[in-house]
Amino acid sequence: MAKIHNISLNNVKDDLRYLQLLARDFPTVSRVTTEIINLEAILHLPKPTEHFLADLHGENEAFQHVLRNASGNIKRKVNELFGSTLREQEKKNLCTLIYYPEQKLELVKRQDANMADYYQTTLNQLITVCRNVSSKYTRSKVRKSLPEEFAYIIEELLHESTEDHNKQAYFNVIIQTIIGTRRADHFIIALCYLIQRLAIDRLHILGDIYDRGPGAHLIMDTLCNYHNIDMQWGNHDILWMGAAAGNMACIASVLRLSLRYANTQTLEEGYGINMVPLATFAMETYADDPCTVFMPKIDNGAKGINEKTRRLIAQMHKAIAIIQFKLEGALYARHPEWAMEDRSLLENIHLTKGTIELGGEIYDLLDKNFPTLQPDDPYRLTNEEQELMNRLQHSFLISDRLQRHVNYLLLHGSMYNVFNSNLLFHASVPLNEDGSLRNVLIGGNYAHGKELLSRIEQMVRTAFDSVVEKEEQDNACDFFWYLWCGPDSPLFDKSKMSTFERYFIADKATHVENKGWYYTLRDKAEVCDRIMDEFEVYGPHRHIINGHVPVRVGNGETPIKADGRLMVIDGGFARAYHNTTGIAGYTLVYHSRGFQLVQHEPFSSTEEAVINGTDIRSTTQIVELTGDRAMVSDTDIGQKLRTQIADLEKLLVAYRRGIIKERT
């Protein structure tokens, strides 16, 4: 406290109005000094653990498992705590119980005749684990995490040692009474979820929650109830946000992707989007069309989908794809500043010949039936198509669950974040060939780097702001499409999105999407340093962490780039990527001793995990150790706490000098 004497009266008087406000919360010298002592102590606790996930792509079961096991962090703690005192199967069973307490307890009760012994042993083991994972936090923070029903009992058990002979009987009686009153199941479940919560202090989601898999809405339900989270928007999230804002091209693309992978659960079951009008329109319009190139990407017989259903999905798929190409062509004409007129392709189709001209070359079309295409105005929707899109737009706008999820993305999400010397974003920061930051036209002005991502974020929020002028809101709503597939979009950053070519042209040379310079130059340390400098990321252990592009481990690609400055943690959660990547995803854990990159193999199922204790097989790679153990004082939270301490010290001087009077 000697430093308080160095605080001048002028400093106190300069901040007098703020200090008077602060005095409302700390009205006495005693309250001020208690808080200073508390904050100083917190600074010397170990840094809490952070968990980084990216590109979940609707794979809810795999996501839930990785979230519950904290990317192997809980398993690691169980091994450290029980070592050779428990057999491997016993440790596996304990971990499974922590991950899936309700399901595991039901299984144990069917197999174990002596549940009293099981409860006694298991409760002691869980309390040991819980005591360990809570050791990084203050009692106050742990107390706020406790389930209300058992808060007092858990707090007593966490802070009483079984080695204290004076309290041993007290400790044992609590356990026995929990069992005797038949509350053991409820208590075990509460402890397991508490362990899950305390194992990870903060969750970072680096984009692409949506598309591919069937459970994006379930993932969002979980995230909406998570205790400490931030999210960076991915291109697939932006597509769904655009759809929720009413952008018809985004709506069409959301439907097209869902039908392409025969995954309509999120649309229909999750958000209540009525697909019947699309099915009716497709069956009428494409009744005699085989729609061969629009067959969904699933194995024969998968998911119980018979041939009749596959054909209906293909008809719906083609119907919405053609509508999308019309809608996006109209957007390119409405926004010449995007410089995407070259993606207006329908006007290049020769309907009678069944060909298309691209780049001076003539290509045969794989599908030559376009009953709704009007040669004189190829981007105009027919009356039936317009009516269909109006109904679909209405469904998206009135879906309470979808709007609630998008509001949560707006509240907790952003284009980028800087947290504990780590720069987080989904895909890229547009660059020029020489590694300099690329200027991109947005809202009539050019911007690059940090300003570019900040202005894009403002544009996204404008689309949901009913107070702004309608024209401004409409332009912001249109801009979602550019963010989805624009060549200089930080969420895409490729020369083109060759959706049309992949459907209609056999020549794979037309399918090529050239990546922006970021994806080539991110391997260079000096380029990553330039980007981090631009975003004011400082510190001896600073990094860029992003996802978006699957890491092709099977081809020898590594997720660690630029001498450890960049970590790419999209290894392919989505099943559709497993053959490409050779694995089933990367996650990252950042604890007080450094970074651990966890490489996962495909997850079988929750049922398999519960019955056989099957965990995701993971390989942990130590990316970086910090040497000395990182403490709270080394984090962003630590900086804020030091600022709070400095303000409280000024308030203490103000009290002692009589500048502000204490209130009893």
Side-chain angles (χ1 to χ4, degrees):
M1 288 297 182
K3 59 183 176 179
I4 292 177
H5 298 299
N6 297 325
I7 298 174
S8 71
L9 287 177
N10 286 336
N11 285 339
V12 172
K13 291 176 180 177
D14 289 342
D15 296 329
L16 189 56
R17 289 188 63 188
Y18 169 69
L19 294 176
Q20 287 170 335
L21 292 173
L22 188 61
R24 296 179 182 179
D25 294 325
F26 303 96
T28 66
V29 167
S30 176
R31 290 280 296 277
V32 173
T33 54
T34 298
E35 185 66 7
I36 290 173
I37 293 167
N38 176 49
L39 296 180
E40 287 281 6
I42 291 173
L43 289 173
H44 293 82
L45 285 170
K47 173 198 169 299
T49 302
E50 300 170 57
H51 197 188
F52 300 79
L53 305 178
D55 299 272
L56 307 175
H57 283 302
E59 295 292 347
N60 181 57
E61 278 203 339
F63 161 73
Q64 291 290 348
H65 191 78
V66 168
L67 195 66
R68 289 167 184 260
N69 78 359
S71 284
N73 203 37
I74 289 175
K75 184 178 181 180
R76 177 175 62 85
K77 288 186 178 295
V78 167
N79 283 327
E80 288 174 357
L81 288 168
F82 299 105
S84 59
T85 62
L86 291 180
R87 295 192 298 270
E88 286 302 314
Q89 186 60 47
E90 291 172 325
K91 287 186 284 188
K92 183 186 290 188
N93 289 338
L94 179 59
C95 287
T96 305
L97 176 68
I98 294 171
Y99 308 156
Y100 304 101
E102 295 96 339
Q103 298 95 318
K104 187 65 176 178
L105 280 172
E106 284 301 315
L107 186 64
V108 170
K109 283 190 283 189
R110 290 201 300 266
Q111 298 174 344
D112 196 329
N114 192 347
M115 287 302 294
D117 283 352
Y118 174 82
Y119 286 142
Q120 180 84 31
T121 301
T122 301
L123 282 166
N124 278 285
Q125 291 170 346
L126 290 174
I127 290 161
T128 300
V129 177
C130 196
R131 187 178 291 131
N132 179 272
V133 296
S134 66
S135 62
K136 286 186 176 183
Y137 309 112
T138 63
R139 283 197 182 192
S140 174
K141 184 164 184 174
V142 173
R143 189 179 299 122
K144 291 172 185 175
S145 304
L146 298 178
E148 185 176 350
E149 184 180 6
F150 299 112
Y152 172 75
I153 300 172
I154 293 176
E155 190 169 9
E156 286 291 292
L157 293 174
L158 290 182
H159 299 109
E160 296 297 343
S161 172
T162 55
E163 297 175 2
D164 184 345
H165 297 295
N166 294 324
K167 288 289 187 76
Q168 196 168 42
Y170 172 75
F171 186 94
N172 290 336
V173 166
I174 291 177
I175 299 292
Q176 290 164 10
T177 306
I178 291 169
I179 298 169
T181 56
R182 298 186 179 182
R183 298 295 289 167
D185 280 13
H186 297 85
F187 197 79
I188 285 172
I189 291 167
L191 274 176
C192 290
Y193 284 118
L194 179 61
I195 290 168
Q196 289 182 30
R197 174 166 181 161
L198 295 176
I200 297 297
D201 182 64
R202 190 177 186 94
L203 179 63
H204 305 281
I205 302 293
L206 274 68
D208 276 3
I209 296 163
Y210 285 90
D211 288 329
R212 303 286 193 266
H217 56 295
L218 301 174
I219 292 174
M220 282 302 306
D221 283 342
T222 298
L223 296 180
C224 286
N225 292 301
Y226 203 79
H227 57 276
N228 194 7
I229 186 173
D230 61 75
M231 296 182 279
Q232 285 66 61
W233 303 321
N235 53 319
H236 287 270
D237 306 321
I238 281 291
L239 184 68
W240 279 77
M241 292 166 75
N247 182 310
M248 285 191 177
C250 290
I251 291 170
S253 191
V254 161
L255 292 167
R256 180 185 62 79
L257 283 168
S258 298
L259 292 163
R260 183 177 178 83
Y261 294 94
N263 270 328
T264 59
Q265 290 96 317
T266 296
L267 281 168
E268 295 182 289
E269 299 170 18
Y271 295 135
I273 304 300
N274 185 3
M275 302 285 280
V276 173
L278 175 58
T280 303
F281 170 81
M283 286 189 292
E284 292 175 353
T285 307
Y286 300 97
D288 301 321
D289 191 332
C291 299
T292 307
V293 301
F294 291 92
M295 285 293 173
K297 288 184 173 294
I298 54 175
D299 297 330
N300 288 330
K303 303 180 184 179
I305 297 178
N306 58 33
E307 191 58 36
K308 183 178 180 180
T309 304
R310 282 168 60 89
R311 172 150 165 67
L312 174 58
I313 292 173
Q315 290 172 322
M316 296 168 69
H317 186 184
K318 180 173 181 178
I320 203 65
I322 299 301
I323 290 173
Q324 178 195 307
F325 298 137
K326 289 185 176 185
L327 291 168
E328 62 176 288
L331 278 176
Y332 303 144
R334 192 155 66 243
H335 293 281
E337 72 275 12
W338 295 356
M340 293 181 69
E341 295 89 345
D342 61 319
R343 300 307 301 154
S344 299
L345 302 181
L346 297 184
E347 62 200 57
N348 299 330
I349 293 176
H350 196 298
L351 290 173
T352 57
K353 294 181 179 179
T355 60
I356 187 169
E357 181 178 353
L358 291 180
E361 298 287 333
I362 304 295
Y363 299 93
D364 284 330
L365 294 171
L366 296 174
D367 185 318
K368 303 179 182 184
N369 183 35
F370 299 95
T372 69
L373 204 62
Q374 302 163 79
D376 58 331
D377 191 0
Y379 303 108
R380 183 169 66 84
L381 298 180
T382 65
N383 292 337
E384 292 81 6
E385 287 173 326
Q386 186 65 59
E387 182 183 353
L388 169 63
M389 289 310 302
N390 289 342
R391 294 180 69 176
L392 287 169
Q393 183 188 56
H394 180 70
S395 288
F396 275 81
L397 291 174
I398 67 167
S399 171
D400 288 342
R401 194 178 186 186
L402 174 60
Q403 296 298 331
R404 185 169 67 251
H405 286 170
V406 168
N407 284 338
Y408 193 83
L409 286 169
L410 291 167
L411 183 62
H412 292 273
S414 58
M415 282 296 294
Y416 75 93
N417 188 24
V418 177
F419 195 87
N420 288 340
S421 298
N422 296 309
L423 173 59
L424 316 178
F425 55 84
H426 175 66
S428 82
V429 175
L431 301 175
N432 296 310
E433 186 175 1
D434 62 0
S436 59
L437 296 163
R438 186 175 182 82
N439 273 317
V440 178
L441 184 64
I442 173 172
N445 296 294
Y446 284 93
H448 62 260
K450 181 180 179 180
E451 183 185 0
L452 172 63
L453 268 64
S454 296
R455 289 176 61 181
I456 287 173
E457 183 172 329
Q458 292 170 11
M459 187 86 96
V460 168
R461 297 185 187 283
T462 297
F464 294 93
D465 186 353
S466 59
V467 177
V468 300
E469 295 291 332
K470 187 178 186 306
E471 183 180 357
E472 184 181 1
Q473 188 178 30
D474 288 345
N475 283 332
C477 188
D478 287 352
F479 193 66
F480 280 107
W481 187 256
Y482 184 86
L483 291 176
W484 165 243
C485 62
D488 286 329
S489 164
L491 297 175
F492 182 63
D493 201 5
K494 294 181 185 179
S495 58
K496 65 179 180 181
M497 185 176 285
S498 57
T499 307
F500 182 93
E501 292 89 336
R502 290 174 187 273
Y503 281 124
F504 290 103
I505 302 175
D507 188 346
K508 292 188 182 300
T510 66
H511 303 178
V512 175
E513 301 171 349
N514 295 315
K515 295 177 182 176
W517 286 108
Y518 171 82
Y519 299 107
T520 301
L521 300 174
R522 66 181 181 173
D523 289 332
K524 297 184 177 182
E526 63 271 20
V527 171
C528 289
D529 282 335
R530 182 178 302 134
I531 292 172
M532 287 188 282
D533 288 343
E534 164 71 13
F535 284 84
E536 301 176 48
V537 184
Y538 305 117
H541 302 283
R542 64 178 187 168
H543 309 87
I544 296 171
I545 305 173
N546 59 244
H548 185 59
V549 179
V551 178
R552 288 166 169 76
V553 176
N555 296 339
E557 185 181 357
T558 173
I560 310 300
K561 304 178 184 297
D563 298 331
R565 288 168 173 80
L566 172 65
M567 290 176 268
V568 182
I569 61 169
D570 175 11
F573 257 90
R575 295 178 189 274
Y577 292 145
H578 290 178
N579 291 334
T580 303
T581 63
I583 61 169
Y586 280 109
T587 56
L588 187 68
V589 176
Y590 179 25
H591 48 66
S592 60
R593 300 194 184 279
F595 286 91
Q596 289 184 323
L597 187 72
V598 185
Q599 175 183 309
H600 303 286
E601 293 187 13
F603 180 59
S604 52
S605 69
T606 301
E607 183 181 13
E608 175 72 14
V610 173
I611 294 174
N612 299 321
T614 306
D615 208 340
I616 290 181
R617 291 182 60 188
S618 304
T619 304
T620 301
Q621 176 181 350
I622 306 297
V623 178
E624 181 178 283
L625 294 178
T626 55
D628 294 332
R629 193 175 194 187
M631 311 304 282
V632 172
S633 60
D634 302 313
T635 68
D636 292 348
I637 297 297
Q639 293 180 14
K640 293 177 182 177
L641 293 182
R642 282 194 292 272
T643 300
Q644 291 176 32
I645 290 169
D647 292 338
L648 288 166
E649 288 171 344
K650 289 180 184 178
L651 179 59
L652 189 58
V653 170
Y655 279 144
R656 288 177 173 170
R657 299 295 181 89
I659 298 171
I660 298 176
K661 302 297 182 183
E662 290 186 74
R663 291 182 293 111
T664 58

